[in-house]
Amino acid sequence: LPERDRADLKRRKLLLEVTLKSYWIRKGSAFSTTVARQETELTPEMITTGSWQQRPFKPYNFSALGLPPACGHLHPLLKVRSQLRQIFLEMG
């Protein structure tokens, strides 16, 4: 359709434009029918046998935040001191 006619039909809501996307999927060089488990640790056995050269390793994420630190606790003597202080404050 010419642009002028198409704009007229769109204005009158008689034309609906739809965009279709299509993809071609082909087998790549790393295609496999099984899922290979990636190694996360390098063990001394792998180094001595040389098997680490043929195994896939999981990439390391350097931007990960890691585990949050565990909360600290008060020393037992500091707890006793704060309890005694609270008792004396209640007594006046």
Side-chain angles (χ1 to χ4, degrees), residues 1-90:
L1 287 174
E3 182 64 33
R4 183 172 163 233
D5 292 341
R6 188 169 33 170
D8 185 42
L9 290 173
K10 275 174 135 181
R11 186 175 40 84
R12 293 169 47 195
K13 295 186 172 122
L14 297 174
L15 179 69
L16 176 66
E17 285 191 79
V18 178
T19 303
L20 297 176
K21 293 183 181 181
S22 62
Y23 298 96
W24 291 93
I25 300 174
R26 287 180 266 150
K27 293 179 184 179
S29 61
F31 176 77
S32 176
T33 56
T34 60
V35 177
R37 186 175 150 267
Q38 293 181 335
E39 296 291 332
T40 56
E41 294 182 9
L42 182 63
T43 62
E45 292 83 21
M46 287 181 189
I47 294 173
T48 56
T49 60
S51 64
W52 64 273
Q53 295 172 343
Q54 287 83 24
R55 293 189 181 187
F57 283 91
K58 186 176 180 180
Y60 192 80
N61 184 4
F62 287 101
S63 62
L65 297 177
L67 296 174
C71 293
H73 299 283
L74 287 176
H75 192 274
L77 291 177
L78 288 176
K79 285 184 183 180
V80 171
R81 186 174 79 176
S82 65
Q83 289 174 354
L84 286 175
R85 183 170 188 248
Q86 186 63 34
I87 291 171
F88 285 129
L89 285 174
E90 288 175 1

